[in-house]
mmCIF file of all heavy atoms in Angstrom:
data_model
loop_
_atom_site.group_PDB
_atom_site.id
_atom_site.type_symbol
_atom_site.label_atom_id
_atom_site.label_comp_id
_atom_site.label_asym_id
_atom_site.label_seq_id
_atom_site.Cartn_x
_atom_site.Cartn_y
_atom_site.Cartn_z
ATOM 1 N N GLN W 1 24.408 -64.055 -70.373
ATOM 2 C CA GLN W 1 24.368 -65.318 -71.100
ATOM 3 C C GLN W 1 23.903 -66.479 -70.219
ATOM 4 O O GLN W 1 23.181 -67.350 -70.689
ATOM 5 C CB GLN W 1 25.737 -65.601 -71.712
ATOM 6 C CG GLN W 1 26.085 -64.633 -72.827
ATOM 7 C CD GLN W 1 27.210 -65.112 -73.717
ATOM 8 O OE1 GLN W 1 28.208 -65.627 -73.241
ATOM 9 N NE2 GLN W 1 27.048 -64.936 -75.013
ATOM 10 N N THR W 2 24.321 -66.491 -68.963
ATOM 11 C CA THR W 2 23.962 -67.622 -68.112
ATOM 12 C C THR W 2 22.586 -67.466 -67.464
ATOM 13 O O THR W 2 21.847 -68.446 -67.328
ATOM 14 C CB THR W 2 25.010 -67.822 -66.998
ATOM 15 O OG1 THR W 2 25.111 -66.633 -66.210
ATOM 16 C CG2 THR W 2 26.362 -68.154 -67.598
ATOM 17 N N GLU W 3 22.217 -66.235 -67.074
ATOM 18 C CA GLU W 3 20.960 -66.025 -66.356
ATOM 19 C C GLU W 3 19.824 -65.553 -67.262
ATOM 20 O O GLU W 3 18.706 -66.051 -67.167
ATOM 21 C CB GLU W 3 21.167 -65.018 -65.215
ATOM 22 C CG GLU W 3 22.169 -65.469 -64.167
ATOM 23 C CD GLU W 3 22.357 -64.426 -63.079
ATOM 24 O OE1 GLU W 3 21.346 -63.893 -62.574
ATOM 25 O OE2 GLU W 3 23.530 -64.120 -62.744
ATOM 26 N N TYR W 4 20.116 -64.591 -68.126
ATOM 27 C CA TYR W 4 19.055 -64.045 -68.991
ATOM 28 C C TYR W 4 18.777 -64.980 -70.166
ATOM 29 O O TYR W 4 17.625 -65.351 -70.422
ATOM 30 C CB TYR W 4 19.457 -62.653 -69.495
ATOM 31 C CG TYR W 4 18.401 -61.983 -70.340
ATOM 32 C CD1 TYR W 4 17.281 -61.381 -69.745
ATOM 33 C CD2 TYR W 4 18.517 -61.935 -71.729
ATOM 34 C CE1 TYR W 4 16.307 -60.767 -70.531
ATOM 35 C CE2 TYR W 4 17.558 -61.318 -72.507
ATOM 36 C CZ TYR W 4 16.449 -60.736 -71.910
ATOM 37 O OH TYR W 4 15.484 -60.130 -72.692
ATOM 38 N N HIS W 5 19.822 -65.383 -70.871
ATOM 39 C CA HIS W 5 19.642 -66.278 -72.023
ATOM 40 C C HIS W 5 19.670 -67.758 -71.634
ATOM 41 O O HIS W 5 19.369 -68.610 -72.472
ATOM 42 C CB HIS W 5 20.718 -65.994 -73.079
ATOM 43 C CG HIS W 5 20.543 -64.676 -73.762
ATOM 44 N ND1 HIS W 5 19.529 -64.427 -74.668
ATOM 45 C CD2 HIS W 5 21.247 -63.511 -73.664
ATOM 46 C CE1 HIS W 5 19.614 -63.182 -75.101
ATOM 47 N NE2 HIS W 5 20.641 -62.606 -74.505
ATOM 48 N N LYS W 6 20.061 -68.034 -70.375
ATOM 49 C CA LYS W 6 20.030 -69.402 -69.825
ATOM 50 C C LYS W 6 20.839 -70.384 -70.687
ATOM 51 O O LYS W 6 20.398 -71.498 -70.977
ATOM 52 C CB LYS W 6 18.598 -69.883 -69.636
ATOM 53 C CG LYS W 6 17.782 -68.969 -68.721
ATOM 54 C CD LYS W 6 16.441 -69.547 -68.357
ATOM 55 C CE LYS W 6 15.606 -68.569 -67.530
ATOM 56 N NZ LYS W 6 16.301 -68.120 -66.306
ATOM 57 N N LEU W 7 22.018 -69.946 -71.089
ATOM 58 C CA LEU W 7 22.921 -70.806 -71.856
ATOM 59 C C LEU W 7 23.721 -71.664 -70.879
ATOM 60 O O LEU W 7 24.760 -71.256 -70.367
ATOM 61 C CB LEU W 7 23.849 -69.954 -72.722
ATOM 62 C CG LEU W 7 23.159 -69.119 -73.804
ATOM 63 C CD1 LEU W 7 24.149 -68.183 -74.484
ATOM 64 C CD2 LEU W 7 22.489 -70.015 -74.840
ATOM 65 N N ASN W 8 23.222 -72.861 -70.622
ATOM 66 C CA ASN W 8 23.872 -73.741 -69.647
ATOM 67 C C ASN W 8 24.855 -74.705 -70.298
ATOM 68 O O ASN W 8 25.304 -75.663 -69.668
ATOM 69 C CB ASN W 8 22.819 -74.517 -68.847
ATOM 70 C CG ASN W 8 21.942 -75.395 -69.726
ATOM 71 O OD1 ASN W 8 22.177 -75.519 -70.932
ATOM 72 N ND2 ASN W 8 20.930 -75.994 -69.131
ATOM 73 N N ASN W 9 25.183 -74.462 -71.564
ATOM 74 C CA ASN W 9 26.117 -75.329 -72.297
ATOM 75 C C ASN W 9 27.513 -74.732 -72.413
ATOM 76 O O ASN W 9 28.379 -75.320 -73.059
ATOM 77 C CB ASN W 9 25.582 -75.619 -73.703
ATOM 78 C CG ASN W 9 25.467 -74.357 -74.556
ATOM 79 O OD1 ASN W 9 25.106 -73.290 -74.053
ATOM 80 N ND2 ASN W 9 25.763 -74.478 -75.840
ATOM 81 N N LEU W 10 27.748 -73.582 -71.792
ATOM 82 C CA LEU W 10 29.016 -72.882 -71.958
ATOM 83 C C LEU W 10 30.010 -73.261 -70.860
ATOM 84 O O LEU W 10 29.692 -73.199 -69.671
ATOM 85 C CB LEU W 10 28.799 -71.369 -71.951
ATOM 86 C CG LEU W 10 27.821 -70.815 -72.989
ATOM 87 C CD1 LEU W 10 27.734 -69.297 -72.881
ATOM 88 C CD2 LEU W 10 28.211 -71.251 -74.398
ATOM 89 N N ILE W 11 31.204 -73.659 -71.277
ATOM 90 C CA ILE W 11 32.322 -73.884 -70.372
ATOM 91 C C ILE W 11 33.214 -72.658 -70.512
ATOM 92 O O ILE W 11 33.899 -72.479 -71.530
ATOM 93 C CB ILE W 11 33.078 -75.170 -70.734
ATOM 94 C CG1 ILE W 11 32.139 -76.376 -70.671
ATOM 95 C CG2 ILE W 11 34.277 -75.373 -69.800
ATOM 96 C CD1 ILE W 11 32.693 -77.631 -71.313
ATOM 97 N N TRP W 12 33.201 -71.784 -69.508
ATOM 98 C CA TRP W 12 33.810 -70.461 -69.615
ATOM 99 C C TRP W 12 35.324 -70.517 -69.414
ATOM 100 O O TRP W 12 35.819 -71.088 -68.436
ATOM 101 C CB TRP W 12 33.190 -69.509 -68.596
ATOM 102 C CG TRP W 12 31.792 -69.123 -68.932
ATOM 103 C CD1 TRP W 12 30.663 -69.887 -68.790
ATOM 104 C CD2 TRP W 12 31.368 -67.881 -69.490
ATOM 105 N NE1 TRP W 12 29.557 -69.193 -69.227
ATOM 106 C CE2 TRP W 12 29.954 -67.963 -69.655
ATOM 107 C CE3 TRP W 12 32.022 -66.705 -69.857
ATOM 108 C CZ2 TRP W 12 29.211 -66.905 -70.178
ATOM 109 C CZ3 TRP W 12 31.275 -65.650 -70.369
ATOM 110 C CH2 TRP W 12 29.889 -65.763 -70.529
ATOM 111 N N ILE W 13 36.054 -69.904 -70.350
ATOM 112 C CA ILE W 13 37.513 -69.843 -70.285
ATOM 113 C C ILE W 13 37.928 -68.385 -70.138
ATOM 114 O O ILE W 13 37.657 -67.555 -71.010
ATOM 115 C CB ILE W 13 38.155 -70.445 -71.547
ATOM 116 C CG1 ILE W 13 37.677 -71.889 -71.752
ATOM 117 C CG2 ILE W 13 39.679 -70.389 -71.444
ATOM 118 C CD1 ILE W 13 38.119 -72.495 -73.071
ATOM 119 N N TRP W 14 38.580 -68.080 -69.029
ATOM 120 C CA TRP W 14 39.095 -66.721 -68.804
ATOM 121 C C TRP W 14 40.556 -66.679 -69.201
ATOM 122 O O TRP W 14 41.371 -67.443 -68.699
ATOM 123 C CB TRP W 14 38.931 -66.335 -67.332
ATOM 124 C CG TRP W 14 39.568 -65.022 -66.982
ATOM 125 C CD1 TRP W 14 39.057 -63.775 -67.218
ATOM 126 C CD2 TRP W 14 40.834 -64.826 -66.351
ATOM 127 N NE1 TRP W 14 39.927 -62.809 -66.778
ATOM 128 C CE2 TRP W 14 41.028 -63.429 -66.234
ATOM 129 C CE3 TRP W 14 41.818 -65.685 -65.868
ATOM 130 C CZ2 TRP W 14 42.169 -62.886 -65.658
ATOM 131 C CZ3 TRP W 14 42.971 -65.143 -65.301
ATOM 132 C CH2 TRP W 14 43.129 -63.752 -65.196
ATOM 133 N N SER W 15 40.900 -65.788 -70.129
ATOM 134 C CA SER W 15 42.296 -65.672 -70.557
ATOM 135 C C SER W 15 42.658 -64.212 -70.809
ATOM 136 O O SER W 15 43.168 -63.853 -71.856
ATOM 137 C CB SER W 15 42.558 -66.506 -71.818
ATOM 138 O OG SER W 15 41.699 -66.114 -72.875
ATOM 139 N N ALA W 16 42.388 -63.373 -69.815
ATOM 140 C CA ALA W 16 42.666 -61.946 -69.951
ATOM 141 C C ALA W 16 44.144 -61.629 -69.758
ATOM 142 O O ALA W 16 44.605 -60.551 -70.120
ATOM 143 C CB ALA W 16 41.836 -61.144 -68.958
ATOM 144 N N GLN W 17 44.912 -62.547 -69.145
ATOM 145 C CA GLN W 17 46.367 -62.486 -69.071
ATOM 146 C C GLN W 17 46.943 -61.669 -67.914
ATOM 147 O O GLN W 17 48.152 -61.711 -67.699
ATOM 148 C CB GLN W 17 46.981 -61.926 -70.371
ATOM 149 C CG GLN W 17 46.459 -62.497 -71.667
ATOM 150 C CD GLN W 17 47.119 -63.789 -72.075
ATOM 151 O OE1 GLN W 17 46.568 -64.837 -71.851
ATOM 152 N NE2 GLN W 17 48.286 -63.717 -72.658
ATOM 153 N N GLY W 18 46.155 -60.910 -67.162
ATOM 154 C CA GLY W 18 46.723 -60.050 -66.136
ATOM 155 C C GLY W 18 46.021 -60.192 -64.797
ATOM 156 O O GLY W 18 44.796 -60.339 -64.745
ATOM 157 N N THR W 19 46.781 -60.138 -63.706
ATOM 158 C CA THR W 19 46.219 -60.283 -62.365
ATOM 159 C C THR W 19 45.142 -59.244 -62.084
ATOM 160 O O THR W 19 44.100 -59.545 -61.497
ATOM 161 C CB THR W 19 47.345 -60.175 -61.317
ATOM 162 O OG1 THR W 19 48.321 -61.185 -61.560
ATOM 163 C CG2 THR W 19 46.793 -60.333 -59.910
ATOM 164 N N GLU W 20 45.387 -58.008 -62.520
ATOM 165 C CA GLU W 20 44.420 -56.941 -62.248
ATOM 166 C C GLU W 20 43.125 -57.139 -63.027
ATOM 167 O O GLU W 20 42.099 -56.535 -62.701
ATOM 168 C CB GLU W 20 45.032 -55.572 -62.565
ATOM 169 C CG GLU W 20 45.310 -55.314 -64.032
ATOM 170 C CD GLU W 20 46.645 -55.859 -64.509
ATOM 171 O OE1 GLU W 20 47.219 -56.740 -63.846
ATOM 172 O OE2 GLU W 20 47.115 -55.394 -65.570
ATOM 173 N N TYR W 21 43.133 -58.008 -64.032
ATOM 174 C CA TYR W 21 41.943 -58.288 -64.827
ATOM 175 C C TYR W 21 41.195 -59.525 -64.337
ATOM 176 O O TYR W 21 40.251 -59.969 -64.968
ATOM 177 C CB TYR W 21 42.323 -58.479 -66.297
ATOM 178 C CG TYR W 21 42.669 -57.193 -67.024
ATOM 179 C CD1 TYR W 21 43.877 -56.539 -66.799
ATOM 180 C CD2 TYR W 21 41.785 -56.621 -67.938
ATOM 181 C CE1 TYR W 21 44.196 -55.362 -67.451
ATOM 182 C CE2 TYR W 21 42.093 -55.453 -68.606
ATOM 183 C CZ TYR W 21 43.303 -54.825 -68.355
ATOM 184 O OH TYR W 21 43.612 -53.655 -69.015
ATOM 185 N N PHE W 22 41.631 -60.074 -63.224
ATOM 186 C CA PHE W 22 41.037 -61.304 -62.702
ATOM 187 C C PHE W 22 39.582 -61.064 -62.292
ATOM 188 O O PHE W 22 39.280 -60.142 -61.535
ATOM 189 C CB PHE W 22 41.846 -61.800 -61.511
ATOM 190 C CG PHE W 22 41.387 -63.114 -60.960
ATOM 191 C CD1 PHE W 22 41.341 -64.239 -61.754
ATOM 192 C CD2 PHE W 22 41.007 -63.214 -59.634
ATOM 193 C CE1 PHE W 22 40.929 -65.468 -61.244
ATOM 194 C CE2 PHE W 22 40.601 -64.429 -59.110
ATOM 195 C CZ PHE W 22 40.557 -65.555 -59.914
ATOM 196 N N VAL W 23 38.679 -61.916 -62.768
ATOM 197 C CA VAL W 23 37.240 -61.711 -62.550
ATOM 198 C C VAL W 23 36.682 -62.548 -61.411
ATOM 199 O O VAL W 23 35.503 -62.426 -61.075
ATOM 200 C CB VAL W 23 36.449 -62.015 -63.843
ATOM 201 C CG1 VAL W 23 36.824 -61.039 -64.944
ATOM 202 C CG2 VAL W 23 36.668 -63.457 -64.295
ATOM 203 N N GLY W 24 37.495 -63.401 -60.818
ATOM 204 C CA GLY W 24 37.040 -64.237 -59.714
ATOM 205 C C GLY W 24 36.677 -65.636 -60.180
ATOM 206 O O GLY W 24 36.109 -65.822 -61.256
ATOM 207 N N ASN W 25 36.990 -66.620 -59.349
ATOM 208 C CA ASN W 25 36.780 -68.013 -59.726
ATOM 209 C C ASN W 25 35.321 -68.384 -59.968
ATOM 210 O O ASN W 25 35.029 -69.380 -60.639
ATOM 211 C CB ASN W 25 37.332 -68.936 -58.632
ATOM 212 C CG ASN W 25 38.831 -69.126 -58.731
ATOM 213 O OD1 ASN W 25 39.469 -68.665 -59.681
ATOM 214 N ND2 ASN W 25 39.413 -69.792 -57.746
ATOM 215 N N ASP W 26 34.397 -67.602 -59.432
ATOM 216 C CA ASP W 26 32.975 -67.940 -59.574
ATOM 217 C C ASP W 26 32.412 -67.564 -60.938
ATOM 218 O O ASP W 26 31.254 -67.878 -61.229
ATOM 219 C CB ASP W 26 32.160 -67.253 -58.474
ATOM 220 C CG ASP W 26 32.276 -65.739 -58.505
ATOM 221 O OD1 ASP W 26 33.359 -65.225 -58.884
ATOM 222 O OD2 ASP W 26 31.299 -65.059 -58.136
ATOM 223 N N LYS W 27 33.221 -66.931 -61.796
ATOM 224 C CA LYS W 27 32.713 -66.464 -63.083
ATOM 225 C C LYS W 27 33.404 -67.111 -64.283
ATOM 226 O O LYS W 27 33.316 -66.606 -65.399
ATOM 227 C CB LYS W 27 32.815 -64.943 -63.189
ATOM 228 C CG LYS W 27 31.961 -64.182 -62.172
ATOM 229 C CD LYS W 27 32.050 -62.689 -62.381
ATOM 230 C CE LYS W 27 31.269 -61.932 -61.321
ATOM 231 N NZ LYS W 27 31.891 -62.063 -59.991
ATOM 232 N N PHE W 28 34.102 -68.223 -64.062
ATOM 233 C CA PHE W 28 34.666 -68.972 -65.179
ATOM 234 C C PHE W 28 35.001 -70.382 -64.710
ATOM 235 O O PHE W 28 35.001 -70.672 -63.509
ATOM 236 C CB PHE W 28 35.907 -68.280 -65.758
ATOM 237 C CG PHE W 28 37.095 -68.266 -64.835
ATOM 238 C CD1 PHE W 28 38.036 -69.291 -64.858
ATOM 239 C CD2 PHE W 28 37.284 -67.225 -63.930
ATOM 240 C CE1 PHE W 28 39.125 -69.287 -64.008
ATOM 241 C CE2 PHE W 28 38.370 -67.211 -63.078
ATOM 242 C CZ PHE W 28 39.293 -68.240 -63.123
ATOM 243 N N ASP W 29 35.292 -71.253 -65.675
ATOM 244 C CA ASP W 29 35.587 -72.652 -65.375
ATOM 245 C C ASP W 29 37.042 -73.029 -65.585
ATOM 246 O O ASP W 29 37.586 -73.859 -64.864
ATOM 247 C CB ASP W 29 34.707 -73.557 -66.262
ATOM 248 C CG ASP W 29 33.231 -73.269 -66.083
ATOM 249 O OD1 ASP W 29 32.716 -73.515 -64.982
ATOM 250 O OD2 ASP W 29 32.599 -72.786 -67.042
ATOM 251 N N ILE W 30 37.683 -72.456 -66.595
ATOM 252 C CA ILE W 30 39.060 -72.788 -66.952
ATOM 253 C C ILE W 30 39.872 -71.497 -67.036
ATOM 254 O O ILE W 30 39.425 -70.515 -67.634
ATOM 255 C CB ILE W 30 39.111 -73.524 -68.310
ATOM 256 C CG1 ILE W 30 38.350 -74.856 -68.230
ATOM 257 C CG2 ILE W 30 40.551 -73.762 -68.745
ATOM 258 C CD1 ILE W 30 38.206 -75.561 -69.566
ATOM 259 N N ALA W 31 41.053 -71.493 -66.431
ATOM 260 C CA ALA W 31 41.978 -70.365 -66.543
ATOM 261 C C ALA W 31 42.986 -70.681 -67.637
ATOM 262 O O ALA W 31 43.534 -71.785 -67.686
ATOM 263 C CB ALA W 31 42.686 -70.124 -65.221
ATOM 264 N N ALA W 32 43.232 -69.722 -68.518
ATOM 265 C CA ALA W 32 44.115 -69.985 -69.659
ATOM 266 C C ALA W 32 45.020 -68.788 -69.928
ATOM 267 O O ALA W 32 44.790 -67.678 -69.428
ATOM 268 C CB ALA W 32 43.284 -70.304 -70.903
ATOM 269 N N VAL W 33 46.058 -69.042 -70.728
ATOM 270 C CA VAL W 33 46.993 -67.983 -71.082
ATOM 271 C C VAL W 33 47.484 -68.218 -72.507
ATOM 272 O O VAL W 33 47.581 -69.358 -72.972
ATOM 273 C CB VAL W 33 48.181 -67.952 -70.087
ATOM 274 C CG1 VAL W 33 49.019 -69.211 -70.176
ATOM 275 C CG2 VAL W 33 49.044 -66.703 -70.278
ATOM 276 N N ASP W 34 47.746 -67.117 -73.220
ATOM 277 C CA ASP W 34 48.318 -67.166 -74.565
ATOM 278 C C ASP W 34 49.777 -66.745 -74.468
ATOM 279 O O ASP W 34 50.080 -65.690 -73.901
ATOM 280 C CB ASP W 34 47.583 -66.211 -75.511
ATOM 281 C CG ASP W 34 46.117 -66.586 -75.695
ATOM 282 O OD1 ASP W 34 45.696 -67.632 -75.171
ATOM 283 O OD2 ASP W 34 45.396 -65.821 -76.362
ATOM 284 N N LEU W 35 50.684 -67.544 -75.025
ATOM 285 C CA LEU W 35 52.117 -67.265 -74.913
ATOM 286 C C LEU W 35 52.756 -67.238 -76.296
ATOM 287 O O LEU W 35 52.708 -68.226 -77.017
ATOM 288 C CB LEU W 35 52.802 -68.334 -74.047
ATOM 289 C CG LEU W 35 52.338 -68.429 -72.597
ATOM 290 C CD1 LEU W 35 53.031 -69.583 -71.898
ATOM 291 C CD2 LEU W 35 52.612 -67.127 -71.861
ATOM 292 N N TYR W 36 53.369 -66.109 -76.616
ATOM 293 C CA TYR W 36 54.080 -65.982 -77.885
ATOM 294 C C TYR W 36 55.497 -65.460 -77.679
ATOM 295 O O TYR W 36 56.467 -66.177 -77.882
ATOM 296 C CB TYR W 36 53.307 -65.073 -78.840
ATOM 297 C CG TYR W 36 52.059 -65.725 -79.384
ATOM 298 C CD1 TYR W 36 50.806 -65.451 -78.853
ATOM 299 C CD2 TYR W 36 52.133 -66.640 -80.424
ATOM 300 C CE1 TYR W 36 49.667 -66.066 -79.346
ATOM 301 C CE2 TYR W 36 50.999 -67.261 -80.925
ATOM 302 C CZ TYR W 36 49.764 -66.965 -80.381
ATOM 303 O OH TYR W 36 48.642 -67.573 -80.871
ATOM 304 N N ASP W 37 55.628 -64.223 -77.244
ATOM 305 C CA ASP W 37 56.942 -63.581 -77.199
ATOM 306 C C ASP W 37 57.743 -63.933 -75.953
ATOM 307 O O ASP W 37 58.961 -63.843 -75.950
ATOM 308 C CB ASP W 37 56.783 -62.052 -77.280
ATOM 309 C CG ASP W 37 56.180 -61.629 -78.601
ATOM 310 O OD1 ASP W 37 56.422 -62.331 -79.597
ATOM 311 O OD2 ASP W 37 55.466 -60.620 -78.633
ATOM 312 N N GLN W 38 57.054 -64.325 -74.871
ATOM 313 C CA GLN W 38 57.768 -64.547 -73.629
ATOM 314 C C GLN W 38 58.048 -66.038 -73.402
ATOM 315 O O GLN W 38 57.201 -66.892 -73.622
ATOM 316 C CB GLN W 38 56.957 -63.981 -72.458
ATOM 317 C CG GLN W 38 55.541 -64.525 -72.382
ATOM 318 C CD GLN W 38 54.654 -63.722 -71.454
ATOM 319 O OE1 GLN W 38 53.500 -63.518 -71.729
ATOM 320 N NE2 GLN W 38 55.178 -63.286 -70.336
ATOM 321 N N ASN W 39 59.251 -66.345 -72.981
ATOM 322 C CA ASN W 39 59.617 -67.710 -72.606
ATOM 323 C C ASN W 39 59.278 -68.713 -73.701
ATOM 324 O O ASN W 39 58.686 -69.754 -73.455
ATOM 325 C CB ASN W 39 58.899 -68.089 -71.297
ATOM 326 C CG ASN W 39 59.475 -69.350 -70.682
ATOM 327 O OD1 ASN W 39 60.603 -69.741 -70.976
ATOM 328 N ND2 ASN W 39 58.704 -69.993 -69.838
ATOM 329 N N THR W 40 59.650 -68.396 -74.929
ATOM 330 C CA THR W 40 59.268 -69.260 -76.045
ATOM 331 C C THR W 40 60.375 -70.222 -76.462
ATOM 332 O O THR W 40 60.338 -70.781 -77.542
ATOM 333 C CB THR W 40 58.853 -68.413 -77.272
ATOM 334 O OG1 THR W 40 59.889 -67.472 -77.565
ATOM 335 C CG2 THR W 40 57.567 -67.677 -77.005
ATOM 336 N N ASP W 41 61.381 -70.403 -75.603
ATOM 337 C CA ASP W 41 62.310 -71.480 -75.883
ATOM 338 C C ASP W 41 61.640 -72.806 -75.505
ATOM 339 O O ASP W 41 60.508 -72.824 -75.043
ATOM 340 C CB ASP W 41 63.631 -71.292 -75.133
ATOM 341 C CG ASP W 41 63.432 -71.116 -73.642
ATOM 342 O OD1 ASP W 41 62.277 -70.915 -73.239
ATOM 343 O OD2 ASP W 41 64.413 -71.173 -72.888
ATOM 344 N N ASN W 42 62.320 -73.901 -75.689
ATOM 345 C CA ASN W 42 61.685 -75.209 -75.548
ATOM 346 C C ASN W 42 61.593 -75.616 -74.082
ATOM 347 O O ASN W 42 62.331 -76.464 -73.594
ATOM 348 C CB ASN W 42 62.478 -76.244 -76.344
ATOM 349 C CG ASN W 42 61.631 -77.461 -76.660
ATOM 350 O OD1 ASN W 42 60.413 -77.385 -76.682
ATOM 351 N ND2 ASN W 42 62.287 -78.580 -76.908
#
């Protein structure tokens, strides 16, 4: 997407949720997480 299609408008969000799935800081802009069942008190 970035090199072949030259999409320079994308702000990449990595939210795979697991350390072993980490792709490296050079391949995304924002780190994110989805939280539902864990630690859902206030």
Side-chain angles (χ1 to χ4, degrees):
Q1 292 197 317
T2 58
E3 299 179 46
Y4 183 78
H5 290 289
K6 302 189 184 304
L7 296 173
N8 60 6
N9 63 322
L10 303 181
I11 301 167
W12 289 76
I13 303 172
W14 174 79
S15 58
Q17 313 276 99
T19 301
E20 67 275 19
Y21 286 74
F22 184 58
V23 296
N25 279 354
D26 60 327
K27 296 183 183 68
F28 68 91
D29 303 294
I30 298 173
V33 65
D34 297 355
L35 298 176
Y36 288 100
D37 296 329
Q38 55 194 142
N39 193 20
T40 53
D41 54 348
N42 201 23

